């Protein structure tokens, strides 16, 4: 474990005393994620080393952040589909876990049809109609 963590250690210096503990915990979580991935049958079909797992995790979080949504991605589809892919990456949107609908006080535009709605998917943070658009939004295209 220590050897794997030292291989790709986060090397950002800081004056905060807790930063070393925090970065070690992040490295530990990524390393354990890699070990869990190697124990699944998916690792036989798509072998990934520790660096590839770190890159995949970083890619998902960068696509999820608001700053990455403003960047223009090359060879990306145009229109409503492009906006949805930048707001919520397909890996998160179509995973089928913990997508819960909650009522909100203010109306927002539905991500699927564009009409006004007062429900939101808690995991994706996207407004959706419960009966019509929720299933269509969370199924792969």
């Amino acid at each position: 474990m220590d050897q794997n963590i030292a291989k790709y250690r986060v090397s950002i210096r800081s004056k905060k005393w807790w930063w070393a503990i925090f970065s070690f915990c992040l490295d530990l979580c990524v390393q354990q994620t890699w070990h869990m991935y190697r124990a699944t049958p998916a690792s036989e079909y798509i072998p990934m080393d520790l660096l590839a797992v770190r890159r995949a995790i970083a890619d998902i979080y960068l696509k999820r952040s608001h700053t990455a949504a403003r960047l223009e991605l090359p060879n990306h589809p145009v229109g409503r589909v492009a906006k949805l892919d930048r707001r919520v990456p397909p890996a998160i949107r179509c995973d089928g876990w913990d997508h819960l609908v909650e009522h909100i006080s203010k109306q927002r535009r539905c991500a699927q049809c564009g009409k006004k709605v007062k429900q939101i998917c808690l995991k994706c943070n996207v407004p959706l109609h419960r009966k019509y658009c929720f299933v269509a939004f969370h199924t792969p295209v």
Side-chain angles (χ1 to χ4, degrees):
M1 178 191 75
D2 290 333
Q3 185 179 11
N4 286 336
I5 289 175
K7 194 172 186 178
Y8 301 111
R9 182 176 296 274
V10 175
S11 60
I12 299 175
R13 295 179 59 188
S14 176
K15 292 184 179 182
K16 304 292 182 190
W17 64 269
W18 50 266
W19 179 255
I21 298 169
F22 177 74
S23 64
F24 177 79
C25 290
L26 283 178
D27 289 334
L28 181 66
C29 290
V30 170
Q31 196 261 348
Q32 290 299 322
T33 302
W34 178 57
H35 275 292
M36 287 177 17
Y37 176 76
R38 285 181 32 200
T40 63
S43 65
E44 296 175 9
Y45 301 110
I46 306 171
M48 294 174 72
D49 60 345
L50 182 58
L51 181 60
V53 170
R54 290 180 79 92
R55 286 181 177 164
I57 292 170
D59 188 41
I60 287 175
Y61 279 105
L62 285 174
K63 286 181 181 177
R64 182 89 165 106
S65 71
H66 297 289
T67 56
R70 294 185 197 136
L71 299 175
E72 290 297 324
L73 301 174
N75 300 327
H76 204 63
V78 181
R80 182 175 280 283
V81 176
K83 291 178 184 175
L84 290 179
D85 283 347
R86 283 187 275 161
R87 282 168 76 183
V88 183
I92 295 173
R93 191 178 85 206
C94 302
D95 66 352
W97 291 94
D98 296 330
H99 292 280
L100 303 172
V101 179
E102 185 177 78
H103 186 77
I104 55 176
S105 59
K106 292 186 177 183
Q107 286 186 345
R108 291 175 58 187
R109 293 283 177 177
C110 177
Q112 188 69 22
C113 67
K115 295 180 182 178
K116 292 183 179 179
V117 65
K118 283 191 169 186
Q119 289 96 18
I120 191 169
C121 176
L122 290 177
K123 183 173 185 179
C124 300
N125 195 22
V126 172
L128 294 165
H129 288 102
R130 184 184 304 244
K131 293 182 182 176
Y132 308 109
C133 301
F134 186 79
V135 175
F137 181 78
H138 289 101
T139 54
V141 178

